[in-house]
Amino acid sequence: MKELEQSLSTSPDSALLLLGDILGKTILHPLCVKYPPSAKYRRCFLTELIKKLESTAAEPLDELYEALAAVLKEEESPHCYKNYILPTGDTVSLGESTALISGGTTGLVTWEAALALAQWALHNPSVFRDRTILELGSGVGFTGIAICKSCQPRTFIFSDCHPRVLSQLGENIRLNSLTPEPDGTWSSQTQSQGQEGEGEKCQNTKVIVAELDWSSVTEKQLLGLRADVVIAADVVYDPEIISALVGMLQKLSTSRADRKAPEVFIASTIRNPDTYQLFQAELDKSGIRWQTIPAQSSCDFLYDVQPNVTILQLFL
Ligand SMILES: C[S@@+](CC[C@H](N)C(=O)[O-])C[C@H]1O[C@@H](n2cnc3c(N)ncnc32)[C@H](O)[C@@H]1O
């Protein structure tokens, strides 16, 4: 500050530059990164500061331009926090995007099928209690977190393939006081499962976050997960990903060794009947039988709309 006062009396231009430097550093200060002022506020502030510096014919600092570029990028994919109250009274708090598609993925928001699948799970906790659950395409994690909080699974394996989704998913899991196992644990599921006592009541669900891409996951990796139940919400939305999804379900059915095949439940919003029929036709072609599960008459998490959500049970 002393330096600033001195240069104000001698050279107002360099004082402005110094001010920009101080403010620029403040904006990049770790505390500000943790508790940032809104992106809109930072954008207005930086724009004004750069304009002022430019009007003095002084060269504004590169850091200010970089900070402005970062804020503009942030505004493109707005972030928010949502709280969902479960019928049990528990709350699921999630960091989500406010845009349906952001960062090149649909996985940063909670979709209606995720709510409907959680609703069904909460009415059927015995399907999940004390069992190992694998969720495909978990997105930001609503269904899995609701199940962990209400249905006492033994192990819950969240999975997705998109790096930004996986990072937000990990944050959301921690935000809800669940502790994911360190990275890499999912490939060694087989050993750790074997150490647990048969029929032991599970008070603390073991939580795993797996980077799992349907098109590249191997039968061996799937076998290692030892899933009793496989669930997914809103994964039948694009004809291009259906063959990878069905291919992975086929691998699940052939990778069970001497174990019982997992029970599989997939909730979908039928937006385009052709896409949904394609999914059913691919299941038929690969010999996977399916039946529609009667939907709940109302959804506790949906207040105004009742979307067209269907849950299929698959028999691998
Ligand atoms: C429409 S979002 C649904 C997210 C969440 N289940 C929900 O309903 O709120 C579809 C999710 O599937 C994931 N996904 C798409 N293709 C995938 C693939 N090949 N392997 C794994 N996950 C995939 C996306 O990353 C995304 O998170």
Side-chain angles (χ1 to χ4, degrees):
M1 281 321 245
K2 236 193 201 143
E3 207 184 331
L4 182 64
E5 275 167 31
Q6 271 171 6
S7 61
L8 262 176
S9 52
T10 52
S11 154
D13 281 358
S14 58
L16 215 58
L17 259 180
L18 197 58
L19 184 64
D21 192 19
I22 292 166
L23 292 172
K25 279 188 185 131
T26 308
I27 285 163
L28 302 171
H29 189 275
L31 254 184
C32 270
V33 172
K34 205 165 171 201
Y35 306 107
S38 74
K40 189 175 169 202
Y41 174 87
R42 280 176 289 150
R43 173 172 49 77
C44 294
F45 171 79
L46 284 164
T47 312
E48 281 309 307
L49 185 60
I50 289 170
K51 263 196 227 157
K52 285 237 155 54
L53 287 168
E54 282 174 344
S55 70
T56 65
E59 189 66 23
L61 294 161
D62 283 349
E63 282 93 333
L64 291 181
Y65 286 119
E66 281 160 21
L68 182 61
V71 169
L72 288 173
K73 204 169 162 209
E74 200 180 308
E75 278 190 314
E76 272 172 25
S77 55
H79 190 261
C80 67
Y81 284 90
K82 288 191 182 170
N83 290 316
Y84 300 84
I85 313 231
L86 304 180
T88 53
D90 281 322
T91 305
V92 175
S93 305
L94 300 179
E96 301 191 12
S97 169
T98 54
L100 293 181
I101 302 179
S102 57
T105 175
T106 53
L108 290 168
V109 282
T110 298
W111 294 86
E112 287 85 355
L115 305 176
L117 185 57
Q119 166 95 354
W120 178 82
L122 267 54
H123 280 88
N124 296 276
S126 58
V127 173
F128 303 94
R129 190 168 301 129
D130 206 19
R131 304 180 86 188
T132 294
I133 319 300
L134 166 63
E135 184 183 18
L136 307 170
S138 296
V140 284
F142 176 78
T143 309
I145 294 171
I147 290 176
C148 287
K149 288 198 170 187
S150 314
C151 304
Q152 296 176 305
R154 179 196 297 258
T155 302
F156 197 100
I157 306 161
F158 293 84
S159 75
D160 210 286
C161 66
H162 193 283
R164 269 187 68 185
V165 174
L166 284 164
S167 144
Q168 187 64 59
L169 176 62
E171 269 180 44
N172 286 344
I173 290 170
R174 281 183 282 274
L175 191 62
N176 287 277
S177 311
L178 298 165
T179 313
E181 299 279 316
D183 281 357
T185 315
W186 77 285
S187 49
S188 55
Q189 258 293 90
T190 319
Q191 293 86 19
S192 53
Q193 288 274 308
Q195 287 158 11
E196 285 171 43
E198 272 302 310
E200 197 176 74
K201 263 262 162 288
C202 155
Q203 293 304 330
N204 296 315
T205 301
K206 178 167 152 183
V207 173
I208 293 170
V209 179
E211 183 182 345
L212 187 157
D213 190 321
W214 312 327
S215 51
S216 56
V217 68
T218 63
E219 284 189 15
K220 194 169 166 228
Q221 284 170 320
L222 290 172
L223 182 64
L225 296 178
R226 299 168 70 91
D228 302 307
V229 180
V230 175
I231 58 167
D234 211 338
V235 290
V236 183
Y237 56 94
D238 176 354
E240 287 189 6
I241 60 174
I242 286 177
S243 70
L245 176 62
V246 175
M248 194 230 39
L249 292 169
Q250 264 185 312
K251 280 184 213 159
L252 259 176
S253 76
T254 51
S255 70
R256 60 189 206 238
D258 54 346
R259 291 171 58 80
K260 248 177 80 185
E263 293 172 36
V264 182
F265 302 93
I266 298 190
S268 312
T269 297
I270 306 176
R271 302 184 185 88
N272 180 344
D274 289 346
T275 307
Y276 199 61
Q277 278 159 18
L278 176 67
F279 176 56
Q280 292 175 327
E282 290 292 320
L283 290 175
D284 291 341
K285 245 199 267 171
S286 48
I288 298 174
R289 287 181 303 114
W290 49 269
Q291 72 175 22
T292 306
I293 294 211
Q296 306 294 323
S297 52
S298 68
C299 185
D300 299 334
F301 318 118
L302 296 173
Y303 304 106
D304 38 13
V305 271
Q306 268 302 306
N308 190 11
V309 177
T310 298
I311 302 178
L312 284 192
Q313 179 172 13
L314 311 187
F315 302 95
L316 301 184

